[in-house]
Amino acid sequence: MRKWIEDRTGLSNLLKVMLDEPVHGGAKWSYIFGSGLVFLFILQAVTGIVMASFYSPSSTSAWGSVYYLQYKTSFGWFVRGLHHFGSSAMMILALVHMFQVFIFGAYKKPRELNWISGVILLLFLAGFGLTGYLLPWDQKGYWATQVATNIMGTIPVIGKYIKIINQGGGDYGNFTITRFYTLHVFLLPLSLVFFLFVHIALFRKHGVTPYWKMREEVMKNRVDPFWPDQVYKDVIFAIGMYAVLAGWVFWNKGAELNSPADPASNYLARPEWYFLFLFQLLKYCQGKFLIVGTVIVPTLALIFLCVLPFIDRNTSRYPSKRIPFFGAVFSGLAGIIALTILSIHHDSHDIHIIHQREDAEKQTARAIKLAARGIPPQGGLAIFLNDPVSLGEKIFKESCIGCHMVKEEGGETGPAFTDFGSREWVSELLKDPKGKKYFKESGAMPPVKQPDESLRDMAEFLLSQSGGLHNQSADRLERGKELVLKGNCVICHPIGDKDAKKIAPNLTGYLSEEWLKEFIKNPSDPKFYGTRNKMPGFDKLSERELDALIQYLISLSKDRILVSEKEEGNKKRKYVFGQTAPRAITAFKRVDFVVSAQSND
């Protein structure tokens, strides 16, 4: 059989040509990086093919297909994790290999084209990272890719055409994802394989470049075969890389999948880590200097790398003989590292980024929970149509955030709603109703002159009117009741009679679902603020929208829950809302659906 195959294929001769390459100077661990990159490329190709068999390149089905692979397919999360983190590993190893080649002086005559083909391969790897990031069609990938395409659009004359070609039009949509999928799965792999073949062929022609101190006689006298001496080292390195990569995937439980892309959201995008330096550079190149960061600096760096073999004409490969070039390359590397660290440090201290990440985590947890019930044909974003908290948040951002602030975002005309309706929020309101967080100069209520502990007791009683207070304290409730009903509060506020009217809002059922609904519809009602009211009524909201807005407001509190029974089709479901919903669920015999702003349990 072997002879028959050999007669018809010449396989043994092919293997001999591939494996009998002489390694002058002996096999070395410093030669493993190129083979490691080939291994990672094969791993990316294999995992990419598996993922492609599940993926649907459409703006309506992309997120759902990735969700199915990640959460419903056996070991799908592992395959996707290998592919996701493998791309970063490939970029890191490519940079290490490039700097090893530079340090060894392996770009010098006659290896100029080998070096240039390596630079081109590095650009293709960056292209893989850029095009693959968008394909899950989640928030992070969608907005991060917009940053990259907007940078393309700043190129003079041709920039806007490059952007339109890549986007498939003037905005992101279905054509965008099909263009990026075509680039990622067809054009870039074919181009990379071609240049990889050229790169390896040129390497085989000229051989390895040894350590610069190796004597000429050692180079001539010691010659190890590629098989098995160098192959052994390459295989050990590949196994080690795979072990580290697999361990990292298990540690992170696969690659992250954010909530579905929402073009209407205000997501503060950040590119993948290997583009952060360029993103940070653009912060210092605003206005007419933007072209410096987007075009001039990257182009000059690329030109320098390509012409390096031609301007470094010294035949010596000793680093001490190449100090100007070492200075240029390593100062560039130091600049890239510094800009990347600055970007990461800035984001870790930016309150808006921190809050966005927290909100993104909550949104993602809700999306994954809702997707388990089924993804509508309209696409991943449609899973939120039946989620009242998400709908309520959308209505709040459309109608309320201009006056009310939540987590440092929004207007300051009305009270801030961060942790709205919690014990802390109510007790601070009693302590300083005219404070910046509440009614400011428009407030008519004087501060309640009581110790902080007594204010918390009063807040306990007032919130008990809503019927949704979690972990209620009977002692505190009793003390608060006495302070409210026997103090100055009842002089201005009716409590206990829903229809009673005084000069201040009726506190019967304070912050309950019904109380909030009536207040939002008509805050000018005499039982609320009457003629002193400055807030517009929202009586145009439908019952569904109003319910959703209230459920969102209650979900902001860390102390409150809302149990609501809604009809869906021919049956009723109980919903539990609030940050404490998972812990409060034990109070009910059966709850069909939990929406939590803090937990995905």
Side-chain angles (χ1 to χ4, degrees), residues 448-460:
V448 178
K449 303 295 185 180
Q450 291 285 350
D452 288 348
E453 191 67 22
S454 297
L455 292 175
R456 285 191 282 270
D457 293 339
M458 295 172 71
E460 188 83 13

Side-chain angles (χ1 to χ4, degrees), residues 127-423:
F128 271 110
L130 174 63
T131 54
Y133 212 50
L134 176 72
L135 297 184
W137 205 248
D138 62 354
Q139 282 282 75
K140 192 174 181 180
Y142 178 90
W143 290 103
T145 310
Q146 280 213 1
V147 172
T149 53
N150 286 337
I151 290 173
M152 292 179 191
T154 62
I155 300 173
V157 184
I158 61 171
K160 63 179 182 179
Y161 301 108
I162 295 174
K163 182 179 176 181
I164 289 172
I165 290 170
N166 279 279
Q167 287 184 178
D171 207 350
Y172 269 43
N174 205 56
F175 282 141
T176 311
I177 201 167
T178 53
R179 299 279 172 93
F180 274 65
Y181 181 73
T182 301
L183 286 168
H184 191 77
V185 176
F186 297 105
L187 295 182
L188 284 174
L190 288 174
S191 303
L192 188 138
V193 167
F194 172 76
F195 279 96
L196 185 62
F197 175 80
V198 171
H199 192 69
I200 294 174
L202 291 171
F203 168 75
R204 292 294 298 271
K205 174 177 174 58
H206 300 297
V208 298
T209 304
Y211 179 53
W212 55 86
K213 286 187 177 181
M214 186 177 290
R215 297 189 305 275
E216 191 67 30
E217 57 269 21
V218 175
M219 277 284 293
K220 290 181 179 179
N221 297 332
R222 182 177 176 183
V223 180
D224 293 341
F226 181 71
W227 167 268
D229 298 48
Q230 188 61 46
V231 170
Y232 169 77
K233 291 179 170 58
D234 292 344
V235 169
I236 292 297
F237 181 61
I239 292 172
M241 277 197 307
Y242 181 80
V244 171
L245 193 57
W248 188 254
V249 172
F250 272 99
W251 177 265
N252 288 277
K253 299 178 181 177
E256 182 184 28
L257 178 64
N258 272 210
S259 58
D262 182 5
S265 64
N266 295 317
Y267 194 91
L268 297 175
R270 292 294 181 270
E272 189 57 288
W273 66 267
Y274 37 81
F275 291 125
L276 277 178
F277 76 95
L278 186 58
F279 178 80
Q280 185 68 19
L281 178 63
L282 297 183
K283 294 180 182 179
Y284 309 120
C285 303
Q286 297 297 317
K288 62 182 180 180
F289 296 106
L290 185 64
I291 191 174
V292 175
T294 58
V295 178
I296 296 176
V297 172
T299 302
L300 288 177
L302 187 61
I303 291 173
F304 171 78
L305 289 175
C306 290
V307 302
L308 177 62
F310 306 101
I311 59 177
D312 184 5
R313 294 177 175 274
N314 194 326
T315 56
S316 174
R317 292 187 290 108
Y318 274 78
S320 59
K321 304 293 185 181
R322 297 182 284 140
I323 290 177
F325 302 103
F326 264 77
V329 170
F330 282 95
S331 61
L333 176 63
I336 289 172
I337 293 172
L339 288 170
T340 302
I341 292 173
L342 279 172
S343 180
I344 295 171
H345 180 266
H346 172 269
D347 288 355
S348 66
H349 292 80
D350 188 319
I351 193 68
H352 298 291
I353 297 290
I354 293 170
H355 284 159
Q356 178 187 268
R357 286 173 179 168
E358 292 172 354
D359 291 341
E361 288 174 5
K362 295 171 186 176
Q363 188 84 338
T364 297
R366 285 209 296 267
I368 300 305
K369 198 76 176 177
L370 291 166
R373 304 173 67 197
I375 300 174
Q378 297 93 327
L381 198 59
I383 61 175
F384 292 117
L385 294 176
N386 296 321
D387 176 22
V389 173
S390 298
L391 176 60
E393 184 176 12
K394 181 175 181 290
I395 295 168
F396 182 87
K397 289 180 177 178
E398 290 173 351
S399 306
C400 312
I401 206 165
C403 297
H404 299 279
M405 182 177 291
V406 174
K407 293 182 180 178
E408 310 299 327
E409 292 184 7
E412 298 183 10
T413 308
F417 277 1
T418 303
D419 204 14
F420 168 75
S422 67
R423 292 177 172 95

